[in-house]
Amino acid sequence: MIIKHITVVGAGQMGHQIAILAALGGYETTIHDMNEHSLNSARNQLHTLLNRWINKGKLTVKQKDEALVRLSYTTDLKEAVSTTDFVIEAVVEKLEVKRSVFAQLDEYAPKHAILASNSSTIVNSLLASATTRPDKVVNMHFFFPPVVMDCVEVVMSEKTSQETAAITMNVCKQMNRTAVLLQKEISGFIANRILGALHKEAMFLYENGYADFKDIDLICKKALNHPIGPFELMDLSGIDVGYYVMNQRYAETGDPSDLPPEFLKEKVEKGELGRKTGKGFYTYEKEHIKK
């Protein structure tokens, strides 16, 4: 199957960047979001990003113009997917929300369309059961920020077809991203399971007073040569994202150790979600993430 049109559902931090990779890769691309403000924000951020790349010599004006011509925006989900070949879901990391979206995608998208999830932890079999096409459902996990991070985890369930996996791998290649195929699914996949173990230990050490979060970040950077500390990374990715991931893991395992710590819950309730809100573990004064 030849992929000509890609729809990205969700215009947030992940979604709009995935969409521009698709457009730059030559695909006709539609960004869908229920919120008009989110679409306008995505449009503005992408123009800023592309202009920055031009100034740095990473992109030509012609490449920018051609990519923007391929890119469209809509709040109408049916319109967004009715003629698409490939959907990448990038909505909030909550199982019930994603299952609802996948049920709608199954209803509106053509029968040949592949439905991929950018979930950072939820296995696609939990989403595929909300559709009538489990063979065409797959995980396609980009890392934040997608325009910088090269890796994509492509994860199959027992029902994902080899054809779906092969097409998804090819889409990643066309989007100039290195894809790794995982033929056995597990919650959190590979990178985030390893990263999650580090974050869980960092939060335990902080919560129990062994070290301040700033010192833990400093030790990870200076002693382990990590480019960014675990608390800095939580701020960058979004504290709410990590919070929802931990809650989802707990829902699957029932293990109390998988529950997010109380201090993380408090930050989410206060709206202190990291860089995107100006405050998380650290405070940011209108700082922009470098692309």
Side-chain angles (χ1 to χ4, degrees):
M1 185 175 70
I2 298 175
I3 304 299
K4 296 181 179 179
H5 183 276
I6 290 178
T7 299
V8 178
V9 179
Q13 290 190 99
M14 295 294 292
H16 73 273
Q17 291 195 17
I18 293 171
I20 197 60
L21 291 176
L24 288 168
Y27 295 111
E28 294 296 322
T29 307
T30 300
I31 305 179
H32 166 270
D33 201 287
M34 295 185 298
N35 190 313
E36 186 71 43
H37 174 74
S38 295
L39 289 177
N40 289 333
S41 177
R43 184 183 289 108
N44 292 335
Q45 289 183 68
L46 288 178
H47 277 273
T48 299
L49 170 64
L50 295 177
N51 287 335
R52 186 181 300 127
W53 280 0
I54 289 172
N55 292 336
K56 291 183 177 180
K58 295 181 178 180
L59 197 71
T60 66
V61 173
K62 181 182 179 182
Q63 288 172 318
K64 170 195 170 182
D65 292 342
E66 288 175 346
L68 292 179
V69 167
R70 298 187 194 104
L71 199 58
S72 61
Y73 305 79
T74 181
T75 57
D76 187 326
L77 183 61
K78 187 173 183 179
E79 175 188 317
V81 303
S82 61
T83 59
T84 199
D85 302 308
F86 199 103
V87 181
I88 304 173
E89 166 272 315
V91 303
V92 66
E93 195 73 358
K94 293 184 178 181
L95 178 59
E96 64 274 16
V97 175
K98 289 182 183 292
R99 281 182 59 84
S100 176
V101 169
F102 268 73
Q104 293 178 74
L105 294 175
D106 189 51
E107 178 183 354
Y108 297 146
K111 294 302 179 184
H112 73 269
I114 290 172
L115 309 181
S117 175
N118 179 54
S119 174
S120 59
T121 186
I122 299 171
V123 293
N124 76 77
S125 59
L126 294 177
L127 306 175
S129 60
T131 78
T132 60
R133 60 181 93 185
D135 61 311
K136 296 186 181 296
V137 179
V138 67
N139 286 101
M140 190 183 189
H141 177 217
F142 291 79
F143 293 84
F144 184 77
V147 294
V148 174
M149 302 298 286
D150 182 32
C151 188
V152 180
E153 292 175 321
V154 176
V155 190
M156 301 174 65
S157 71
E158 291 183 356
K159 295 184 178 180
T160 305
S161 71
Q162 291 292 336
E163 180 187 26
T164 294
I167 291 170
T168 305
M169 293 289 285
N170 190 60
V171 168
C172 292
K173 182 178 180 180
Q174 191 72 20
M175 293 170 71
N176 196 30
R177 286 298 172 268
T178 299
V180 180
L181 179 62
L182 309 178
Q183 300 194 41
K184 185 176 181 180
E185 65 178 13
I186 184 171
S187 176
F189 319 131
I190 303 302
N192 277 346
R193 287 186 71 87
I194 295 171
L195 185 63
L198 185 148
H199 280 192
K200 182 182 287 189
E201 185 63 22
M203 289 188 288
F204 169 82
L205 294 169
Y206 169 59
E207 186 176 35
N208 289 277
Y210 291 104
D212 184 71
F213 68 86
K214 292 181 180 179
D215 292 329
I216 294 171
D217 279 349
L218 184 61
I219 290 169
C220 286
K221 289 187 288 186
K222 296 297 184 181
L224 303 180
N225 203 28
H226 291 185
I228 187 170
F231 294 93
E232 291 173 313
L233 184 54
M234 282 186 262
D235 272 5
L236 177 63
S237 301
I239 291 172
D240 54 332
V241 175
Y243 177 74
Y244 294 141
V245 165
M246 294 189 75
N247 277 316
Q248 175 60 33
R249 181 72 60 82
Y250 172 70
E252 293 178 20
T253 66
D255 184 347
S257 70
D258 286 330
L259 278 169
E262 191 62 30
F263 68 82
L264 211 63
K265 179 181 178 181
E266 290 175 0
K267 286 199 172 293
V268 172
E269 290 176 345
K270 290 179 181 178
E272 297 176 358
L273 308 181
R275 290 197 183 195
K276 61 186 176 183
T277 60
K279 185 176 182 180
F281 291 100
Y282 298 86
T283 300
Y284 306 88
E285 295 181 3
K286 295 184 179 180
E287 286 192 7
H288 298 285
I289 302 166
K290 294 181 180 180
K291 306 294 192 298

